[in-house]
Amino acid sequence: MNKNNNNYSDFNLYSLIRDNILNVDPYISARIEHKKEKKSIFLDANENSFGSPLSFFNSYNRYPDPLQQELKEKISELKNISTSKIFLGNGSDEIIDLIYRIFSRPEIDNTIIFPPTYGMYEISGKIHGANVIKINLTEENYQLNFDEIKKVINNNSKIIFICSPNNPTGNDIKRNNIEKIIKKFTGIVVLDEAYIDFSEKKSFSIEIDKFPNLIVLQTLSKSWGLAGLRIGIAIASADIIHWMNKIKHPYNISMVSQKIAIQALENRDLFFYHLKNILSEREYMKTCLSQISTIKKVYPSSANFLLVKINFSSKNLYQYLVEKKVIVRERSKIILCNNCLRITIGTHEENEYLIEKIKEYSKKIKI
Ligand SMILES: *Cc1c(COP(=O)(O)O)cnc(C)c1O
């Protein structure tokens, strides 16, 4: 599958970056040039020096730190990765968009994705005019299909997206297969680890130095419970991070998001407490759901949700649950997910209610 017998001494990031991106002179924000001199009088960014109508919160009259240094230091400490190898985006979705912008020439380059998987890889690719090639995961256990992948990779293959644990299937992609792709592919591999904290598997982020073509995506939206703040994390070589910083919008993470994320990251005890509860609820849900006769299969999960195959039309069950005011994700239209629902792990009470309603429905349809 290699274009030219890749070995890392040959890896040339420059050759993968689009010419127009190489030629951009980035916007230099006022706050980058003088951010250290806190006592100065700032008349450089056309902010409102009198403050906002929020009176006692008036620090929001200033633009936020464009490079989010303080927040990055917290994340660096947490993940044991240097801040120079961390990029923060307005959600992972911003980072996916930036990756396409940097590497994928519209109408020329292709991106390879492995359905069923996260929808944004394809949507973002189409927005950027990438040719998105889909190689389905294997039907038995949702793993990578190497024979098919080898067939489609060509000289214009720039990006491969792997999601592990995968959404919506919930399983981990086998580690040695991920490593094989990273090592053999001469383009950029994006490994989306949005759900890694729920998995027993190790993150690739700690080994980022071994893989110059790897970008690991993580997020504060799932295990950290901060979906509303919109903070996605990319971990990659300092070179790749440099290009992301160069083309991002200058103030991509608001001051409110930065401040609150810093506070949350300081409370690791509560994070671990919630994580432990989610994991034990996942096992509980798995056991309960497996015992319901109308449920054909509960797939193994390393994430905070379960993919469940129903013995009959999942749409009808979905509708019934909506009527009972429980919203799950109907995934029937997705390839290899026929009659499947994706159910996020809720609190114990929420899970009990859901199980009760599914049991109720199962009784009904038998009559
Ligand atoms: C939820 C999710 C994300 C997170 O996206 P954010 O924009 O950071 O909230 C990323 N990838 C996958 C596969 C997800 O399921």
Side-chain angles (χ1 to χ4, degrees):
M1 73 165 77
N2 25 350
K3 287 189 244 168
N4 51 17
N5 235 345
N6 185 25
N7 105 34
Y8 283 141
S9 52
D10 293 345
F11 180 75
N12 183 349
L13 182 62
Y14 259 67
S15 68
L16 293 176
I17 294 173
R18 288 167 60 198
D19 288 343
N20 62 314
I21 299 292
L22 292 172
N23 292 328
V24 170
D25 279 329
Y27 176 79
I28 308 287
S29 78
R31 279 303 98 84
I32 282 193
E33 286 181 311
H34 292 290
K35 66 173 189 279
K36 294 245 163 62
E37 299 152 46
K38 282 207 165 125
K39 295 238 171 66
S40 306
I41 297 170
F42 288 110
L43 303 175
D44 58 343
N46 299 346
E47 296 149 337
N48 186 329
S49 300
F50 291 83
S52 71
L54 289 166
S55 63
F56 54 92
F57 290 125
N58 73 8
S59 57
Y60 296 121
N61 61 338
R62 300 294 175 188
Y63 280 104
D65 175 3
L67 290 172
Q68 309 103 19
Q69 279 309 329
E70 197 181 343
L71 176 53
K72 276 185 190 159
E73 273 154 32
K74 284 271 177 272
I75 292 172
S76 158
E77 226 172 81
L78 176 78
K79 302 198 181 279
N80 215 353
I81 292 160
S82 140
T83 54
S84 64
K85 293 169 194 162
I86 298 173
F87 176 88
L88 302 181
N90 191 353
S92 310
D93 296 339
E94 183 194 7
I95 304 176
I96 294 169
D97 178 86
L98 286 174
I99 293 168
Y100 274 111
R101 288 184 198 219
I102 296 171
F103 298 107
S104 179
R105 292 169 298 172
E107 322 305 333
I108 300 172
D109 289 329
N110 66 68
T111 289
I112 299 159
I113 66 169
F114 308 120
T117 194
Y118 187 49
M120 284 311 290
Y121 314 143
E122 180 175 5
I123 295 168
S124 197
K126 284 188 171 160
I127 291 170
H128 286 286
N131 174 15
V132 179
I133 301 174
K134 302 182 198 176
I135 303 297
N136 291 346
L137 294 171
T138 56
E139 198 161 351
E140 332 66 85
N141 53 1
Y142 297 132
Q143 291 296 324
L144 300 174
N145 185 339
F146 273 94
D147 293 338
E148 294 302 313
I149 297 170
K150 274 186 212 160
K151 283 187 206 158
V152 300
I153 290 186
N154 61 34
N155 283 326
N156 289 333
S157 302
K158 278 293 179 63
I159 309 170
I160 293 181
F161 281 95
I162 305 172
C163 188
S164 181
N166 186 41
N167 178 6
T169 58
N171 61 295
D172 300 292
I173 304 296
K174 286 184 188 142
R175 189 179 174 83
N176 53 352
N177 287 349
I178 297 175
E179 196 164 328
K180 198 160 134 190
I181 296 236
I182 303 171
K183 285 189 169 154
K184 295 213 165 164
F185 183 53
T186 49
I188 296 292
V189 176
V190 181
L191 176 61
D192 189 341
E193 294 185 337
Y195 298 97
I196 194 71
D197 290 340
F198 303 107
S199 172
E200 284 173 359
K201 297 291 184 309
K202 268 193 317 190
S203 165
F204 271 79
S205 62
I206 22 184
E207 295 175 77
I208 201 71
D209 292 342
K210 279 177 29 192
F211 306 115
N213 62 335
L214 175 65
I215 301 173
V216 174
L217 298 185
Q218 296 186 1
T219 179
L220 298 186
S221 297
K222 308 286 159 62
S223 60
W224 280 92
L226 297 169
L229 292 188
R230 312 303 305 123
I231 296 178
I233 304 168
I235 296 148
S237 72
D239 281 345
I240 292 179
I241 299 298
H242 163 82
W243 288 100
M244 292 181 170
N245 283 330
K246 188 168 166 180
I247 66 160
K248 77 182 185 75
H249 291 171
Y251 304 111
N252 60 327
I253 312 248
S254 80
M255 188 183 286
V256 184
S257 291
Q258 292 188 43
K259 278 190 183 172
I260 295 180
I262 289 165
Q263 273 178 32
L265 290 168
E266 278 164 1
N267 201 347
R268 282 195 218 180
D269 289 348
L270 196 51
F271 164 82
F272 282 115
Y273 176 73
H274 288 156
L275 185 60
K276 210 181 80 193
N277 280 334
I278 293 168
L279 295 180
S280 72
E281 282 300 315
R282 183 177 79 198
E283 294 321 298
Y284 171 74
M285 284 274 274
K286 193 171 177 190
T287 311
C288 294
L289 291 168
S290 308
Q291 288 162 359
I292 301 175
S293 61
T294 45
I295 289 182
K296 191 170 182 181
K297 182 167 183 183
V298 182
Y299 289 86
S301 172
S302 298
N304 65 340
F305 57 83
L306 291 169
L307 186 73
V308 172
K309 200 187 256 312
I310 314 297
N311 266 326
F312 51 90
S313 158
S314 59
K315 273 193 205 114
N316 295 347
L317 173 57
Y318 170 79
Q319 272 311 330
Y320 182 80
L321 292 174
V322 170
E323 279 162 31
K324 301 293 170 191
K325 305 255 182 277
V326 190
I327 318 298
V328 299
R329 194 93 154 120
E330 216 271 301
R331 298 280 73 179
S332 255
K333 285 200 212 83
I334 308 280
I335 189 117
L336 302 182
C337 294
N338 195 23
N339 286 328
C340 284
L341 299 177
R342 192 195 67 192
I343 303 172
T344 305
I345 306 302
T347 63
H348 188 66
E349 292 69 31
E350 291 170 341
N351 298 335
E352 291 275 58
Y353 181 81
L354 172 81
I355 288 160
E356 188 191 306
K357 294 299 148 194
I358 298 180
K359 281 183 178 163
E360 233 173 66
Y361 185 73
S362 302
K363 268 190 208 143
K364 266 195 187 162
I365 65 152
K366 271 194 204 145
I367 297 163

